Amino acid sequence: MPEFDEGAVKKEVTGLLSQLIRIDTSNPPGNETAAAEFLRDLLVAEGLQTEIVESAPGRGSLLARVPGKGKRKSLLLMSHLDVVPASAEGWKHPPFAGIVEDGFVWGRGAWDCKGMVAPEVVALLLLLREGFQPQGDLVLALWADEEKGGNMGAGWVVKNRPELVQADFVVNEGGGHALPVDGRNHYTIQVAEKGVFWTRLITRGTPGHASMPHRDNALLKMSTCLSRLGTLKTPIQQSEIVGQYLSKRLASIGQMPAGKLQVDDRFLEELEKTHPRVAAEVNTLVRMSIAPTMIQAGTKENIIPERCQAVVDCRLLPGQTAEDLRRTFADALGSLEEVEIEPIQADEGSISPLDTELYEAIMQTMSELDPGCGFVPYMVSGGTDSRFFRQKGVPAYGFFPLKPDIPLSEQLSIVHGRNERISQENLLLATKFFYELVKKMLG
Ligand SMILES: [Zn+2]
């Protein structure tokens, strides 16, 4: 168990998070360099060499490496400095004030992801202060631009300065929240992410006066396309990993069916009646999803439009490819083959193996901090920076441990929503976890 003064550490990690929240890194525009410089000064004061890498002015990511003795594999701890924007409306405390009240730190980024940055940094500071000499390299990377896809942060550095982030294992955000089942916490370990394919559809028609309607109307054609795609039931493919997660997720709300869990559309329809949010979550974990999100057509009230464009957000399961998506569109749109389909962004899903030294170390470390706890592998329907590392074959896990002191239903709404906050107890827990994990992996 940690050899440090828990009261002092709790105070330090709380103070650090409050200060980070006050540095507004809303993305867009980001301005992550301000937060990176603030943290650099802290780390440099403890004798650590750091580098701020800017992909563009103001878009800085902070990198640091504690060189190891080359006797063990290297470990990269990462998180991100940017946050999604917030307006003060509907918040109990202003989102960029970093208020501490009743054991919670409030503000944008308190959970996603400055609440992970602060424990990682404090754990590193504690290790530096006690003169810890790692057996393998310990790397810290705090990224710009995660909330807009990461291409100006992790993606940029992995492509342009790969030597800075060379590591054998990665720990990132994306998992670690606990599902309470039968009085035990079951921590999620994020091992997979769905692919994100944003796609533009274009239909064309013949312009004409709207007082004499004809059928060659680009808007009408698009409306048919979107209603076919938006109501499409793609095939269900429930992977082993997702099956394990769902058994705990459904047990946590008392909805675990008797016998082996095999999700089908009937099961989803029943679940939707009582737990619509959970049904939506389960649905996206077992199939490719397609959601129309934007549409544009027409220039004047009385002109039949000759062109209509729409955007659909498609989430593919790990292993599904652009070709699978193309076939899905072709099957759904069939007779409407004149629809033009253009990719806007195409990122395939990613997955890390479960049988690694780091996966084992995460479970062991956490079991020491929360005796009797369990674990479930976890897939998310969005992308995190982990994908840049998994694409290079580096195992990456999302694990930022949080005990369930905010109801799960509210957890889902505070991330990117109002009243984002984190408990000081969870900040301390996460700091202990990163500190102990480093000792286990690199000691
Ligand atoms: Zn995040």
Side-chain angles (χ1 to χ4, degrees):
M1 281 301 98
E3 295 129 28
F4 50 73
D5 173 351
E6 294 196 355
V9 169
K10 194 198 264 190
K11 209 170 149 200
E12 181 170 14
V13 69
T14 300
L16 180 58
L17 175 57
S18 282
Q19 284 176 291
L20 281 172
I21 289 170
R22 285 184 216 125
I23 303 171
D24 185 348
T25 51
S26 299
N27 181 13
N31 282 328
E32 298 91 343
T33 297
E37 286 174 344
F38 167 74
L39 292 167
R40 175 198 60 197
D41 293 348
L42 274 185
L43 292 165
V44 168
E46 303 281 347
L48 189 66
Q49 299 259 359
T50 66
E51 182 169 346
I52 294 176
V53 181
E54 286 193 324
S55 56
R59 309 304 310 277
S61 296
L62 180 71
L63 293 131
R65 181 178 293 261
V66 185
K69 296 178 185 154
K71 295 198 176 133
R72 294 194 71 176
K73 289 182 173 169
S74 49
L75 175 67
L76 167 55
L77 298 182
M78 64 191 218
S79 183
H80 61 88
L81 297 171
D82 63 319
V83 296
V84 293
S87 75
E89 197 189 325
W91 282 68
K92 186 173 177 216
H93 297 295
F96 296 99
I99 303 280
V100 184
E101 189 186 74
D102 297 335
F104 281 81
V105 185
W106 293 68
R108 175 58 81 231
W111 184 302
D112 178 17
C113 229
K114 290 173 174 171
M116 182 177 184
V117 171
E120 285 180 327
V121 168
V122 171
L124 179 55
L125 291 174
L126 292 167
L127 291 161
L128 290 170
R129 285 173 199 156
E130 67 179 47
F132 177 71
Q133 304 262 331
Q135 297 293 318
D137 285 8
L138 171 60
V139 191
L140 177 72
L142 303 174
W143 300 118
D145 200 41
E146 195 279 337
E147 297 292 359
K148 293 271 281 174
N151 289 315
M152 299 292 281
W156 195 92
V157 173
V158 165
K159 193 165 155 211
N160 296 288
R161 301 285 308 278
E163 75 285 359
L164 289 178
V165 285
Q166 196 289 316
D168 297 308
F169 292 111
V170 169
V171 178
N172 188 26
E173 63 167 332
H177 59 276
L179 303 169
V181 182
D182 300 333
R184 289 166 66 207
N185 289 321
H186 292 261
Y187 291 90
T188 54
I189 303 179
Q190 196 251 53
V191 297
E193 295 175 4
K194 289 184 86 175
V196 181
F197 285 67
W198 290 337
T199 307
R200 183 180 293 112
L201 308 177
I202 299 166
T203 51
R204 297 179 196 277
T206 308
H209 199 286
S211 64
M212 290 177 289
H214 59 254
R215 305 208 62 154
D216 192 27
N217 178 329
L219 187 47
L220 273 179
K221 288 183 192 169
M222 184 62 81
S223 121
T224 309
C225 291
L226 293 182
S227 68
R228 284 194 196 177
L229 290 173
T231 55
L232 184 67
K233 281 199 158 75
T234 54
I236 289 183
Q237 296 174 34
Q238 180 185 315
S239 66
E240 171 63 28
I241 285 172
V242 165
Q244 284 186 43
Y245 168 72
L246 289 181
S247 65
K248 290 293 177 294
R249 179 72 179 98
L250 294 166
S252 76
I253 55 163
Q255 292 291 317
M256 187 57 194
K260 192 169 162 20
L261 172 69
Q262 181 58 55
V263 174
D264 57 23
D265 282 315
R266 260 198 61 185
F267 176 83
L268 285 169
E269 280 161 29
E270 287 304 311
L271 186 62
E272 196 173 4
K273 289 178 194 160
T274 51
H275 296 80
R277 284 196 79 128
V278 181
E281 184 193 343
V282 175
N283 182 59
T284 197
L285 294 180
V286 297
R287 60 173 21 133
M288 177 193 292
S289 71
I290 300 177
T293 52
M294 295 162 81
I295 187 162
Q296 241 176 356
T299 51
K300 197 170 182 308
E301 292 83 349
N302 60 359
I303 301 176
I304 289 172
E306 61 181 318
R307 184 178 187 280
C308 181
Q309 71 168 34
V311 174
V312 284
D313 176 307
C314 313
R315 304 284 163 130
L316 277 57
L317 295 170
Q320 292 181 328
T321 63
E323 174 55 22
D324 294 315
L325 181 62
R326 193 200 59 75
R327 241 181 293 123
T328 303
F329 279 135
D331 290 349
L333 300 177
S335 57
L336 304 168
E337 62 272 317
E338 74 268 34
V339 185
E340 295 159 43
I341 297 171
E342 294 175 355
I344 300 171
Q345 181 193 311
D347 272 314
E348 284 184 11
S350 67
I351 188 160
S352 289
L354 271 58
D355 56 346
T356 66
E357 191 185 332
L358 176 56
Y359 194 88
E360 188 60 36
I362 288 172
M363 294 196 293
Q364 274 184 19
T365 306
M366 200 60 223
S367 298
E368 288 162 17
L369 294 170
D370 187 354
C373 69
F375 299 91
V376 272
Y378 181 47
M379 178 171 85
V380 293
S381 54
T384 71
D385 288 332
S386 293
R387 73 181 190 280
F388 298 114
F389 293 84
R390 292 192 183 126
Q391 281 161 7
K392 294 182 3 152
V394 178
Y397 302 110
F399 198 80
F400 167 31
L402 295 167
K403 286 191 181 176
D405 52 16
I406 296 174
L408 194 62
S409 55
E410 204 188 345
Q411 286 176 27
L412 296 170
S413 69
I414 64 173
V415 174
H416 295 199
R418 291 168 176 166
N419 293 327
E420 186 174 351
R421 63 191 184 279
I422 191 168
S423 68
Q424 290 177 275
E425 281 305 320
N426 269 331
L427 289 171
L428 177 63
L429 175 74
T431 309
K432 285 188 203 168
F433 172 78
F434 293 123
Y435 173 92
E436 291 293 334
L437 181 72
V438 169
K439 290 207 155 175
K440 204 168 285 296
M441 289 294 290
L442 305 177

